[in-house]
Every structure is written in C-alpha cells, then in structure tokens.
C-alpha cells in the first residue's frame, strides 16, 4: 500500500526503488519516529485537530506498531520507502482511516530532522560516559605512578624528562576538551524542527514550545526553512566524533610505540593484544591499531558529509538522506572504541626499569643551561657554553657528569661543584613548578582540577 499518489502513477524501476529507499538503514530510527509521532498527535489534539478519541486511537496504534517493531514481528512491505512511511502504513492497517490524520500539518522533512536529532540526543550520554571512563583510567594511572619519570619527546627524539603522570594527563585533558565540546554542542542539537512542515511552517495552531518540552528539546527552531535544511548538527557531531577519534588515535600511536620492544615503556594486558599465527613470540597491539585506523574512517564521514552539504540550495533535498549512515556508523564506531580503550589503559603496566634506562644524561643539558641562568648568565650565552660541553662529552665518549669540573669551568666560570645535583631527572622535573609543569605539586594540582571537572 502506498500512502500517497494515484492509481495511474507509473510504476518505478525496482533498482531505482532500492536506491531511493532509506529503510535498510533508517529503520533504526523507529523508536524516535514513534516518539515523535506520539508527541505530534498530542500537539494536534491540543490544537483541536484530533478529538480525544482519535488521539487515543492513534497513540494506542503507534504503541502497538512500536511493540511489533521491538518484537521483530513487524513485516516491512516493498512499498515502504523509509521508516516514516513504514510506520504510517502499518498504523493505517491497524486503526484505519483515522491514521490519515496523523500527518496533518507535518512533512517527512521536519519529521526526519526531528528523528535524527532525537537519535543523537540519546546517543550523547554514552559518548560522554565513554570519555569520562577514559579520563578516569588515565587519572588512575597518573595517580598510581606519580613519581615515575620517563623520557619526553619532541620530533620523536629524546628531549627532557617527564613524569609519566604528565603524559597520562596530557591525553586526559584532550578527552576533557572533547567532553566540554559535547556539552556545548548539545543545546544546538536539541533544537526542535518539528512544526516546520515541508519548508514553510505549519498552518495549524501548534504549540511548538510544548512539543519541544514533551520531546526533551531545549529550544524551537526559529525558522521553518532553516529547520528542514539544517544539518549543522550532523556535521558538528561528525566533527566531534572525528576529533575524539583523532585523540584516540594519537593516544594509540603513543602506546603502540611505548609497547614495542624498542621502547618497552608499558606492558599491555594480554586481554587487549593478539598473538601471531606464525610467530609465537608476538603480542600485537591490535586494539590500539584499530583505534588509530578508525580515526580515518571518522574523519572520512565528516569530510564526506560536508561535501554532500556544500552545494545544496535551501530546503530539503534527497541528498540529505545521506546524513544517516555516517551518523550511525560514527556512533557505533565511537561506542566500540570507548568500550575497549578505558580497560586497556586501566590494565596496562608501566615499566620503570625501561623508562629509567632511556633517561640518558644528554636530556639534562637544558638543566645545565638553566643552572647558569640562575647564576645570572644570559640564556643564549648559557646555551652556547652547554652545547660546547655536550660536544666535548661526545668527543670523549663519556656522559656529561663524567667531565671534570675544570672542563666545565673552561666553558663557563660560573659552574661550581654543585652541578652534579642538576644532572638528575628528578631534579629536572621538580624545577618545573609553574602551573602546568612537571613538578609534583603542579601535577597534583592538575589531577585535582581534572577530578573537579569530572565531578561536576
Ligand atoms: N527518507 C527521507 C530521508 O531520509 C525522509 C525525508 C523524505 N522527504 C522527502 N521530501 N522526500 O531524508
């Protein structure tokens, strides 16, 4: 049964029907579609367009259709183009012609935009929770190993010592920004299109504010044409997903390196690695590699959908049907990753011996320059003196601490016998006590600040 059209309507090429149909993917929106329709029926009744009996029939009918869908008992018809037409077709079969009143003053254009927004509004908390779990896991690592020192890198070259906690927290802050962005985007997402009709608004006295409240929206779209054209909320969600994916990917890449034999800074729990079908000694970081790869897919959804949008004139176009698959896939991808990564982080074990072994003395050259600075030497001059010392140590094939004081003095007279005290990774991290630095109190302050945000 078709919901509209005439008997004389030419039959369509079945291949075109298949191309045109969104049912294979948008059937997932049935809970939102039925919620939206029930709320719309109530709004129609409030506006005097449905009698109390008609409303009751429609609501009971929609609930019965929902039960069929939930039970997997709903039989889709070849003429069901999408979930909206499928639900209405079935409602008509169940309750008869009164079902025909449901679509009064409504279009699939405002209906589909409402459904997809509702879907994302429901997906939001799980993403938020996943990020929170990840931050908690990173925080737990930071707290459990507060005094563990590892090499920090720039250009992937050993640079300066870092607290391991500083590395953990660096990633936690990135996820905290993602959480903040989700929170900020929510009111834009939770803006109600329903009541905008096909493009020009609804000709009946619908109380859209009440409709918004009933469906959990926080605002009403202020312009009907914008409301049916606007897919900013999709693009914005895909950006959030891409950004989270990117942060997961960078965390994963750090850990893939750190878990390799070459670095050996962390041991991953076997629950998150695989063996090789050929090489018995291998422990492969598949979970992390998939996190790295799936970021590409999430970024692809964002760029792909922005390109769908960029040339569209105002109003609804079938192009917009392409919004759903990237949204569903991005939600599923994020959920799959966020279900795994917190556990991987929680269970991984840092390896202090390997970190210590990688802390070569040359990483403390900056400390020598800062030592001179504390004695009033201009930094540029100090840098030059220490560069010469580093070169001298390399020429002799000894660490910096093995050069005699006389050699230090040759390069700068301000050097004294206490220089050995600065050639110490712990001293190096402790000097950095300004906000955001690696000193113990500065790192503890970060932990506390992050904990406070998580508690809000
Ligand atoms: N299946 C369509 C979509 O996903 C629903 C809206 C159809 N509207 C229309 N004017 N053809 O976008």
């Amino acid at each position: 049964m078709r919901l509209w059209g005439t008997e004389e309507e030419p039959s369509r090429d079945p291949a075109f029907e298949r191309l045109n149909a969104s049912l294979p993917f948008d059937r997932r929106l049935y809970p939102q579609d039925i919620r939206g329709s029930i709320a719309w029926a109530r709004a129609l009744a409030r506006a005097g367009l449905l009698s109390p009996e008609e409303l009751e029939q429609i609501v009971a009918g929609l609930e019965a259709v929902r039960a069929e869908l939930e039970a997997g008992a709903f039989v889709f018809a070849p003429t069901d183009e999408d979930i909206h037409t499928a639900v209405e077709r079935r409602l008509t079969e169940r309750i008869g012609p009164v079902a025909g009143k449901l679509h009064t003053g409504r279009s699939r254009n405002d209906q589909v935009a409402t459904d997809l927004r509702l879907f994302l509004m429901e997906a939001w908390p799980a993403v938020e929770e996943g990020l929170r779990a990840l931050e908690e896991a990173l925080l737990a690592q930071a707290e459990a190993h507060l005094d563990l020192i590892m090499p920090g890198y720039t250009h992937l070259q050993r640079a300066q010592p870092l607290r391991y906690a500083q590395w953990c927290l660096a990633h936690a802050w990135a996820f905290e920004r993602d959480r903040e962005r989700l929170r900020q985007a929510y009111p834009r997402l939770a803006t109600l299109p329903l009541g905008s009709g096909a493009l020009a608004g609804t000709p009946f006295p619908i109380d859209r504010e009440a409709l918004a409240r009933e469906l959990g929206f926080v605002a009403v779209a202020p312009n009907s044409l914008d409301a049916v054209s606007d897919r900013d909320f999709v693009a914005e969600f895909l950006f959030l997903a891409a950004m989270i994916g990117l942060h997961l990917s960078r965390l994963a890449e750090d850990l893939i390196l750190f878990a390799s034999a070459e670095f050996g800074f962390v041991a991953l729990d076997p629950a998150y690695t695989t063996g090789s079908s050929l090489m018995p000694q291998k422990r492969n970081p598949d979970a992390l590699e998939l996190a790295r790869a799936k970021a590409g897919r999430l970024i692809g959804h964002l760029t792909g959908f922005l390109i769908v949008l960029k040339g569209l004139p105002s109003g609804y176009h079938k192009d917009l049907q392409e919004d759903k698959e990237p949204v569903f896939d991005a939600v599923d991808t994020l959920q799959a990753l966020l279900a795994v990564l917190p556990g991987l982080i929680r269970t991984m074990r840092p390896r202090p011996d390997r970190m210590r072994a990688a802390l070569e003395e040359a990483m403390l050259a900056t400390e020598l320059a800062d030592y001179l600075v504390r004695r009033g030497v201009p930094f540029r001059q100090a840098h030059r003196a220490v560069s010469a010392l580093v070169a001298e140590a390399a020429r002799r094939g000894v660490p910096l601490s093995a050069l005699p004081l006389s050699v230090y003095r040759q390069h700068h007279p301000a050097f004294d016998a206490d220089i050995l005290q600065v050639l110490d990774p712990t001293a190096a991290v402790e000097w950095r006590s300004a906000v955001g630095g690696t000193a113990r109190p500065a790192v503890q302050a970060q932990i506390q600040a992050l904990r406070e945000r998580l508690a809000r």
Side-chain angles (χ1 to χ4, degrees):
M1 182 194 91
R2 280 189 199 286
L3 291 171
W4 65 91
T6 59
E7 294 312 316
E8 304 86 64
E9 189 144 302
S11 66
R12 284 196 284 254
D13 180 337
F16 165 59
E17 295 265 25
R18 278 195 299 281
L19 173 69
N20 200 36
S22 50
L23 186 66
F25 47 88
D26 72 10
R27 52 200 287 175
R28 193 167 167 176
L29 290 175
Y30 84 79
Q32 292 77 23
D33 195 69
I34 290 177
R35 261 182 73 203
S37 284
I38 290 176
W40 183 247
R42 295 211 174 103
L44 287 174
R46 281 194 295 266
L49 290 145
L50 293 179
S51 70
E53 301 72 46
E54 287 170 332
L55 173 64
E56 206 175 298
Q57 269 182 289
I58 289 177
V59 171
L62 285 167
E63 273 160 3
V65 173
R66 173 163 51 203
E68 283 183 21
L69 281 155
E70 266 163 14
F74 189 104
V75 184
F76 288 99
T79 48
D80 293 342
E81 185 184 313
D82 53 29
I83 190 63
H84 325 292
T85 50
V87 168
E88 194 183 331
R89 188 259 313 154
R90 186 70 189 124
L91 181 69
T92 310
E93 287 167 3
R94 291 195 67 116
I95 68 170
V98 65
K101 291 199 168 189
L102 173 62
H103 213 51
T104 307
R106 182 177 76 167
S107 156
R108 275 186 301 158
N109 299 351
D110 55 348
Q111 187 179 358
V112 71
T114 302
D115 290 2
L116 194 58
R117 283 177 188 264
L118 279 173
F119 176 85
L120 278 174
M121 283 157 68
E122 286 166 30
W124 234 238
V127 178
E128 214 271 331
E129 268 316 303
L131 291 171
R132 175 189 291 273
L134 203 50
E135 288 178 53
E136 295 279 1
L138 288 161
L139 267 169
Q141 283 284 343
E143 283 176 322
H145 306 282
L146 193 56
D147 291 320
L148 186 54
I149 298 176
M150 65 184 272
Y153 297 80
T154 65
H155 309 264
L156 205 52
Q157 306 292 313
R158 287 176 183 168
Q160 289 180 331
L162 278 182
R163 284 196 136 77
Y164 168 70
Q166 184 81 340
W167 172 85
C168 294
L169 293 168
H171 287 287
W173 282 115
F175 295 118
E176 178 58 20
R177 287 193 298 278
D178 292 332
R179 233 162 51 82
E180 183 177 50
R181 268 187 284 268
L182 274 171
R183 219 165 31 244
Q184 291 165 339
Y186 189 81
R188 285 186 291 277
L189 168 66
T191 297
L192 177 78
L194 200 59
S196 297
L199 72 164
T202 188
F204 304 110
I206 296 291
D207 181 350
R208 294 186 65 212
E209 296 288 346
L211 189 56
R213 273 195 301 279
E214 180 165 353
L215 286 170
F217 284 85
V218 301
V220 166
N223 177 301
S224 62
L225 179 59
D226 180 37
V228 295
S229 314
D230 174 16
R231 290 296 182 278
D232 293 8
F233 71 99
V234 173
E236 196 168 6
F237 167 68
L238 294 176
F239 170 75
L240 292 170
M243 199 70 199
I244 295 166
L246 188 151
H247 288 149
L248 289 169
S249 176
R250 296 191 67 180
L251 169 64
E253 176 58 17
D254 266 359
L255 287 175
I256 290 166
L257 288 170
F258 290 175
S260 69
E262 277 66 20
F263 281 80
F265 291 171
V266 297
L268 300 176
D269 190 283
Y272 299 97
T273 59
T274 61
S276 157
S277 57
L278 186 131
M279 298 161 282
Q281 84 286 8
K282 296 277 300 287
R283 290 316 309 173
N284 298 327
D286 296 36
L288 296 168
E289 292 169 310
L290 287 167
R292 186 173 59 186
K294 285 183 192 293
R297 165 179 180 150
L298 292 169
I299 294 165
H301 288 324
L302 171 64
T303 55
F305 187 63
L306 287 174
I307 295 165
V308 169
L309 289 181
K310 71 168 266 299
L312 292 183
S314 302
Y316 176 85
H317 309 271
K318 205 53 174 278
D319 309 54
L320 294 177
Q321 181 163 286
E322 291 291 306
D323 58 0
K324 281 168 276 298
E325 285 163 293
V327 163
F328 295 152
D329 187 68
V331 167
D332 294 343
T333 301
L334 283 181
Q335 268 168 11
L337 292 174
L338 292 173
V340 170
L341 271 290
L344 181 146
I345 299 292
R346 221 176 295 121
T347 54
M348 72 186 187
R349 281 173 301 106
R351 298 178 61 191
D353 52 322
R354 295 297 305 262
M355 291 181 180
R356 213 172 298 121
L359 283 168
E360 60 187 21
E361 246 186 29
M363 297 177 69
L364 299 166
T366 319
E367 304 314 300
L368 288 176
D370 293 339
Y371 170 97
L372 291 177
V373 166
R374 272 180 223 111
R375 297 185 162 217
V377 180
F379 178 73
R380 283 293 157 223
Q381 201 182 318
H383 188 278
R384 219 171 300 122
V386 176
S387 299
L389 279 167
V390 170
E392 181 63 31
R395 199 157 37 242
R396 298 186 186 199
V398 296
L400 280 166
S401 58
L403 290 175
L405 181 58
S406 56
V407 174
Y408 276 88
R409 286 245 167 87
Q410 269 164 30
H411 289 281
H412 206 288
F415 279 119
D416 246 322
D418 57 357
I419 42 169
L420 288 186
Q421 284 163 26
V422 302
L423 286 175
D424 169 20
T426 305
V429 296
E430 292 306 343
W431 273 113
R432 290 164 170 75
S433 58
V435 173
T438 49
R440 197 171 208 271
V443 172
Q444 281 170 320
Q446 274 186 69
I447 291 174
Q448 204 194 326
L450 204 49
R451 284 237 170 272
E452 277 165 20
R453 277 163 166 265
L454 284 167
R456 263 184 228 153

